[in-house]
Structures are given as structure tokens and as C-alpha cells.
Amino acid sequence: MTDTSIPLDGVASAPSRWSTSTWLAVVSMAAATFALVSAEFLPAGLLTPMAADLGISEGTAGQVVTATASVGAVAALFANSAIGKLNRKTVLVGLSALAIASNILAAMATDFWLLLLGRAGLGIALSGLWSLSAAVVARLVGVNSLGRGMSIIFVGVSLATIAAPSIGALLSDWIGWRTAMAATAGAAAIAMLLQLVSLPSLPAGEGTRLGDVFRLMGRRGIQLGMLAVLLLVTGHFAGFVYVRPFLEQVTQLPASAVAWALLGYGVASVIGNIAGGRMADTNIRAALATTGTTLGIAALALVLWGSHTGTAFGFVALWGFAFGTAPIVLQTNLSRAALDALEASGSLMVVCFQVAIAVGAVVGGYIVDGLSVAGPLTLAAVLSALTLVLAILQPRS
């Protein structure tokens, strides 16, 4: 397959039945997302030994995650114009190589600033990968199977989100945080090899300038799609970042039971990834409405009946399922409004997602401190309901 070339206009002509080589190419993209997202979330399980080794507070050490997200949001705006007419396979392999180098630098860092530099490199690699993912997957599997293809990519994300913090904590106890960080470089190296072997040549079309990205925002479908990302993702992170204190204070679960509830969330999110792909390919407006409604119901039910253990477990899992569908549905929804500019719409998706994460976490924190632990969940329910309204207004594709 490495000798095959898929031009930019191959999006619409890709076959509906996937060949073995197509499967391998999509899996290589999923492997890359797993490796990079694992590295992104790994510090959650490494903060204590990392902070002690570098002589900094745990709060300061936690800023390595902020650095990754912040650099990624800025880099996403310039990603498409920076890569110009480079072959997209070359770019993807290069991004994996950057992730390898960044993780090695972080693992070898002798002070906090070198650690931040390594994490900034990871942010660039992540933003580049996400900016290109929808366009590359559409060229591999065809636009009519975009949701299905993206669902496989996001299975890698869900697995990384579940595994990285816990495995990182275990590895840091056994072999040290630096070795655990270096292990993510190994995962990125495996992904890079898979990309080299299985991805076809992906020649670029016309280069995308920064002005083209901003002009795309003039389309009604793009505006509604971006607003849907901002509302749903802000609501999710405003609420779910603080679901642990809710479960501890309202449901009165011990830490061990909270861990089981969050594991249920993670497993349900993987199922949501798979379902989200089918939903998005069948009817994107209905998929967006279903995602917003389900997440809103889960958040509101926790506020109303979350004091009961069984109810709390069930609706936390339902929340996981809903947010498992969300990235695939939101990405596919935005992409269908810009089938002629998938890379540019991918950049807008990354920027909106990162901004929503930051806003949601900050606003949720203020509500928790000023009102109650149930407040952020109420906000999540309200913003999810507004997403349902956007789904109704969304143009038919």
C-alpha cells in the first residue's frame, strides 16, 4: 500500500467496502492517537513523583498538561498553512517523530522548563494530528464512512484516557516516572512504523492559508458546528471534571467506589465511540440531537437523583456513553459543512475543543467554589439542551 497514492479529490470516490490495506491505514491512525493522547494524559498518574524529583509543587507539575493544551490550541490555527503542500503521509510520520522526541526530552528533563519544552512539542504534534485526522480518514474510507472511520480513531482516544493515568501511576511506582514517560515515546515509535508501512501516499491539494480558515467561519453550517462543539464540550468539562467531588459528597461514595464508577464511564465511552460512528454516518442531525439529549439527561439525573448509589453509577455510565459519541458526531458534523476544506475545518475543531476544555474547567471550578458540587452538573445539562436546539437548526446535508 505504500506505493498507492490517494489525491485530495479521492475523498468522494473511496469505496464503501474497506480493503485490508484500508483497515491497516485506519488502525495506524488510531495507534497514533492512542500514543499521543496517552502521553497527554500520562502526567495525571505521575504528578507526585515528578514534582518530588524536580523539586516543584504538584500544582506546578500539573501545568505540564496546561502547556500541552495551550500550545496545541495555538498551533492548530497555523497547522495547515505551515505544512503547505507537503505530502500528508510525510507530515503524519513527522508528527509521530516529534512526539517521540518530545517524550524523550520530557523523560530526560533536569528542570521544569525542559519538561515544559518537551510537553509543548507534544502539543504541536497533537494539534497537527487532530487537524489532519478527518481529512485523512475521509480520503482513506470515503466521506460516507467518515463517522465509522473517526469512531475507530476515537477508540484509541478512549483507551488512552482510561489507561494512561492508571498505568502511569503503576509504572512510576515500579520503574520511576521517567521510564514511564519514555514508554510513551516507544508507543509513538510503534505508531510511526505502522504509518510508514500502511499509509498510502497522500499528496496535498492547494495549500490552506490562515485567511482560508477564517473565511470558512462565514458558513452557517460551520458557525453552528463550532457553536455545538463549544456548548457540548464546555458543558461536559464544566461538569465531569468535578464529578468525583459530587460522587464523594452527594452520593457519599468512598474513593474505591468512585474509581469503579469512573471505570464504568470509561468502558461506556468506548461503546459510545463505536455507536457514534454509525449514528453520524446514518443521520448527522439526529446523531447530534441524540448526543446532546443523552448527555443532558445523564447530568440532570445525577443532580436530581445522584444521592442513590445505583442511580449514580448508571447515569455516570450513560454520561460516558454520550461523551463517547460526542467527538465523532461533532467532528463529522463540522466536516460535512466543509467537504471542500476538511483540513481547515479540522483546525477549527481542534481550536474549539481546546478552548471549550479550558473554559469548562475554569467556569466549573468557580461554580463549585461559589455554589455547590451539583452546580457544574446543572450547567452541563443546560448547555447540552442548547446543543439539541442547534441540531434542529443545523442545515440538512
Side-chain angles (χ1 to χ4, degrees), residues 364-384:
Y366 277 116
I367 294 175
V368 164
D369 292 340
L371 295 174
S372 69
V373 291
L377 278 68
T378 303
L379 177 62
V382 171
L383 294 182
S384 297

Side-chain angles (χ1 to χ4, degrees), residues 89-222:
K89 176 178 179 176
T90 302
V91 174
L92 289 169
V93 171
L95 291 172
S96 293
L98 176 59
I100 295 169
S102 299
N103 289 328
I104 291 175
L105 176 60
M108 298 176 64
T110 54
D111 59 51
F112 180 61
W113 296 108
L114 279 176
L115 179 62
L116 279 184
L117 181 61
R119 298 295 296 183
L122 177 65
I124 294 172
L126 274 164
S127 68
L129 175 67
W130 286 126
S131 295
L132 290 173
S133 60
V136 169
V137 170
R139 293 169 69 177
L140 292 172
V141 305
V143 71
N144 291 331
S145 295
L146 178 59
R148 180 186 175 196
M150 292 305 296
S151 71
I152 295 172
I153 305 301
F154 277 99
V155 166
V157 175
S158 293
L159 292 175
T161 305
I162 297 168
S166 56
I167 292 177
L170 289 173
L171 288 177
S172 65
D173 287 342
W174 293 343
I175 54 180
W177 74 269
R178 294 181 183 277
T179 308
M181 189 75 75
T184 59
I190 293 173
M192 186 178 72
L193 289 175
L194 285 173
Q195 289 172 327
L196 281 169
V197 171
S198 62
L199 281 178
S201 177
L202 297 164
E206 291 296 322
T208 302
R209 297 184 297 272
L210 184 59
D212 297 330
V213 177
F214 286 114
R215 277 191 290 274
L216 193 62
M217 295 169 61
R219 300 184 185 182
R220 180 168 177 266
I222 290 292

Side-chain angles (χ1 to χ4, degrees), residues 36-372:
L36 271 64
V37 174
S38 291
E40 181 180 19
F41 288 104
L42 188 67
L46 305 179
L47 285 186
T48 300
M50 186 190 306
D53 188 24
L54 296 175
I56 56 178
S57 69
E58 292 183 5
T60 301
Q63 298 311 304
V64 298
V65 177
T66 304
T68 305
S70 300
V71 172
V74 175
L77 277 176
F78 300 95
N80 299 123
S81 56
I83 60 178
K85 295 187 177 182
L86 288 174
N87 189 292
R88 287 351 187 200
K89 176 178 179 176
T90 302
V91 174
L92 289 169
V93 171
L95 291 172
S96 293
L98 176 59
I100 295 169
S102 299
N103 289 328
I104 291 175
L105 176 60
M108 298 176 64
T110 54
D111 59 51
F112 180 61
W113 296 108
L114 279 176
L115 179 62
L116 279 184
L117 181 61
R119 298 295 296 183
L122 177 65
I124 294 172
L126 274 164
S127 68
L129 175 67
W130 286 126
S131 295
L132 290 173
S133 60
V136 169
V137 170
R139 293 169 69 177
L140 292 172
V141 305
V143 71
N144 291 331
S145 295
L146 178 59
R148 180 186 175 196
M150 292 305 296
S151 71
I152 295 172
I153 305 301
F154 277 99
V155 166
V157 175
S158 293
L159 292 175
T161 305
I162 297 168
S166 56
I167 292 177
L170 289 173
L171 288 177
S172 65
D173 287 342
W174 293 343
I175 54 180
W177 74 269
R178 294 181 183 277
T179 308
M181 189 75 75
T184 59
I190 293 173
M192 186 178 72
L193 289 175
L194 285 173
Q195 289 172 327
L196 281 169
V197 171
S198 62
L199 281 178
S201 177
L202 297 164
E206 291 296 322
T208 302
R209 297 184 297 272
L210 184 59
D212 297 330
V213 177
F214 286 114
R215 277 191 290 274
L216 193 62
M217 295 169 61
R219 300 184 185 182
R220 180 168 177 266
I222 290 292
Q223 293 168 353
L224 292 174
M226 291 175 64
L227 189 54
V229 175
L230 290 170
L231 287 175
L232 196 63
V233 177
T234 297
H236 168 76
F237 280 95
F240 201 78
V241 166
Y242 304 99
V243 78
R244 175 168 181 166
F246 177 88
L247 293 174
E248 290 174 337
Q249 297 176 35
V250 176
T251 317
Q252 296 186 336
L253 296 179
S256 58
V258 171
W260 281 107
L262 295 179
L263 177 62
Y265 168 90
V267 172
S269 70
V270 175
I271 299 173
N273 287 156
I274 299 170
R278 293 185 179 277
M279 290 164 53
D281 286 338
T282 302
N283 187 325
I284 189 59
R285 297 172 79 237
L288 183 59
T290 300
T291 298
T293 301
T294 305
L295 200 155
I297 289 173
L300 183 60
L302 281 171
V303 173
L304 296 177
W305 305 297
S307 59
H308 303 287
T309 301
T311 301
F313 268 77
F315 283 109
V316 166
L318 183 64
W319 193 326
F321 174 85
F323 197 69
T325 68
I328 299 102
V329 171
L330 292 170
Q331 176 81 76
T332 305
N333 181 52
L334 198 61
S335 298
R336 287 184 182 276
L339 293 178
D340 58 330
L342 288 173
E343 292 184 3
S345 68
S347 293
L348 292 175
M349 174 73 177
V350 175
V351 173
C352 288
F353 216 94
Q354 297 293 347
V355 169
I357 290 173
V359 172
V362 170
V363 172
Y366 277 116
I367 294 175
V368 164
D369 292 340
L371 295 174
S372 69

